[in-house]
């Protein structure tokens, strides 16, 4: 899968993405993360890409032409109709479901704004998805793009060592993840729950599910409700005693 970021700060993306799991995934050729500097498409002799907003107001606005030329250049490079995601607090809130949907794409282009935003006219022409990573305002779209790349890339097959771990973790089926423990079995007088040392896989699975349910109910009642809607508890009806046939005679 190929991620491509149009940004004024390519170094930020390169440095943020080339370590740990993403770095290894790139080395293995499972993903690519490319960057293109919007400033390279400036038509101004001082390489400026921003100007004052029409109508006045604080800050500067990124101009339409360099952004347009940059995105079109990347689209051509990728050779196809890649989705163009614009990072903005006004967008749809990013979620695990959205990550799963986007992980099916072959190419994704992230457009990162800075200052007071980007000229609306170019957004209308190039953007396919407006995405926010939460209800707070950051100084630019680079951190949101990195957050999204991280969440999407780990869903690409073989990026995670253990391919079941993406299935059993937080938000799978609207449940938070159960608690995890590792050696030593006793630490600061706290013992690892005995069931985890039992080797009884069915009991361990049941305990973990209980823990997930409990945590979700306590910390994310909104998710708990969704989970319970999809998995209503099975209520076992008491069987009625068969009537004695002789009574009907
Ligand atoms: N740019 C600035 N703030 C943002 C946010 N919360 N999400 C996405 N892009 C942004």
């Amino acid at each position: 899968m190929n991620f491509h970021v149009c940004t004024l700060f390519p170094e930020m993306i390169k440095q943020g993405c080339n370590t740990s799991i993403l770095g290894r995934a790139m080395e293995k050729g499972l993903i690519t993360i490319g960057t293109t500097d919007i400033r390279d498409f400036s038509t101004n002799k001082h390489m400026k890409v921003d100007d004052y907003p029409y109508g006045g107001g604080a800050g500067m606005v990124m101009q339409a032409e360099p952004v347009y030329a940059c995105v079109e250049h990347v689209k051509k490079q990728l050779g196809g109709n890649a989705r163009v995601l614009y990072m903005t607090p006004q967008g749809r809130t990013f979620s695990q479901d959205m990550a799963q949907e986007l992980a099916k794409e072959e190419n994704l282009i992230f457009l990162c704004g800075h200052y007071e935003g980007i000229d609306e006219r170019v957004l209308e022409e190039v953007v396919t998805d407006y995405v926010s990573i939460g209800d707070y305002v950051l100084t630019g779209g680079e951190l949101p793009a990195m957050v999204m790349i991280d969440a999407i890339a780990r869903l690409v097959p073989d990026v995670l060592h253990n391919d079941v771990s993406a299935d059993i973790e937080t938000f799978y089926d609207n449940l938070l993840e159960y608690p995890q423990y590792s050696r030593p079995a006793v630490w600061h007088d706290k013992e690892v729950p005995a069931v985890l040392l039992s080797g009884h896989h069915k009991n361990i699975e049941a305990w973990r599910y209980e823990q997930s349910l409990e945590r979700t109910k306590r910390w994310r009642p909104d998710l708990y409700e969704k989970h319970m809607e999809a998995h209503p508890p099975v209520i076992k009806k008491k069987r009625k005693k068969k009537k004695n046939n002789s009574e009907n005679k």
Side-chain angles (χ1 to χ4, degrees), residues 87-89 131-141 144:
M87 306 294 99
T88 168
V131 190
S132 164
I133 62 159
D135 287 342
Y136 39 82
V137 182
L138 300 166
T139 55

Side-chain angles (χ1 to χ4, degrees), residues 139-163:
T139 55
E142 285 74 14
L143 285 171
M146 285 193 273
V147 165
M148 289 184 64
I149 291 170
D150 194 284
I152 298 164
R154 61 191 291 291
L155 300 175
V156 170
D158 302 326
V159 166
L160 293 184
H161 274 316
N162 178 357
D163 59 8

Side-chain angles (χ1 to χ4, degrees), residues 11-234:
E11 289 309 314
M12 204 173 157
I13 305 290
K14 285 181 204 160
Q15 290 190 1
C17 291
N18 71 2
T19 45
S20 186
I21 293 174
L22 293 195
R24 234 179 294 128
M26 281 197 275
E27 273 171 24
K28 283 198 218 160
L30 298 169
I31 59 165
T32 67
I33 304 176
T35 55
T36 302
D37 192 340
I38 297 170
R39 203 174 295 281
D40 291 345
F41 297 84
S42 168
T43 50
N44 180 289
K45 67 175 177 196
H46 303 294
M47 302 305 278
K48 263 185 67 171
V49 290
D50 59 338
D51 210 333
Y52 295 101
Y54 276 119
M60 304 290 264
V61 174
M62 285 170 69
Q63 291 167 292
E65 188 51 33
V67 171
Y68 181 74
C70 180
V71 174
E72 289 301 308
H73 171 81
V74 172
K75 269 189 182 170
K76 229 187 212 169
Q77 242 181 6
L78 296 176
N81 260 350
R83 278 163 86 165
V84 178
L85 315 174
Y86 176 47
M87 306 294 99
T88 168
Q90 294 162 33
R92 210 174 113 210
T93 308
F94 186 54
S95 64
Q96 191 65 26
D97 283 350
M98 207 192 292
Q100 243 137 11
E101 181 211 321
L102 291 171
K104 292 178 195 147
E105 300 282 336
E106 187 57 36
N107 298 300
L108 287 176
I109 300 172
F110 293 81
L111 173 59
C112 303
H114 252 269
Y115 317 119
E116 286 307 302
I118 298 180
D119 189 308
E120 190 67 21
R121 293 166 296 182
V122 64
L123 297 178
E124 287 166 8
E125 290 206 12
V126 302
V127 174
T128 58
D129 303 76
Y130 294 75
V131 190
S132 164
I133 62 159
D135 287 342
Y136 39 82
V137 182
L138 300 166
T139 55
E142 285 74 14
L143 285 171
M146 285 193 273
V147 165
M148 289 184 64
I149 291 170
D150 194 284
I152 298 164
R154 61 191 291 291
L155 300 175
V156 170
D158 302 326
V159 166
L160 293 184
H161 274 316
N162 178 357
D163 59 8
V164 293
S165 62
D167 280 354
I168 55 165
E169 66 197 348
T170 299
F171 297 130
Y172 176 71
D173 220 355
N174 289 305
L175 286 179
L176 302 184
E177 202 179 352
Y178 48 76
Q180 297 275 24
Y181 302 86
S182 185
R183 281 195 285 187
V186 182
W187 180 82
H188 282 199
D189 291 333
K190 290 177 175 154
E191 286 178 16
V192 170
V195 64
L196 299 179
L197 309 175
S198 69
H200 193 298
H201 294 297
K202 269 237 158 95
N203 288 354
I204 292 173
E205 212 178 290
W207 180 86
R208 285 177 164 167
Y209 180 62
E210 276 304 313
Q211 291 287 317
S212 282
L213 275 180
E214 230 172 74
R215 286 188 157 194
T216 313
K217 192 173 182 183
R218 185 162 13 121
W219 292 332
R220 291 294 304 271
D222 55 323
L223 293 181
Y224 180 77
E225 236 168 71
K226 277 193 203 167
H227 178 80
M228 295 313 279
E229 265 170 36
H231 305 275
V234 181

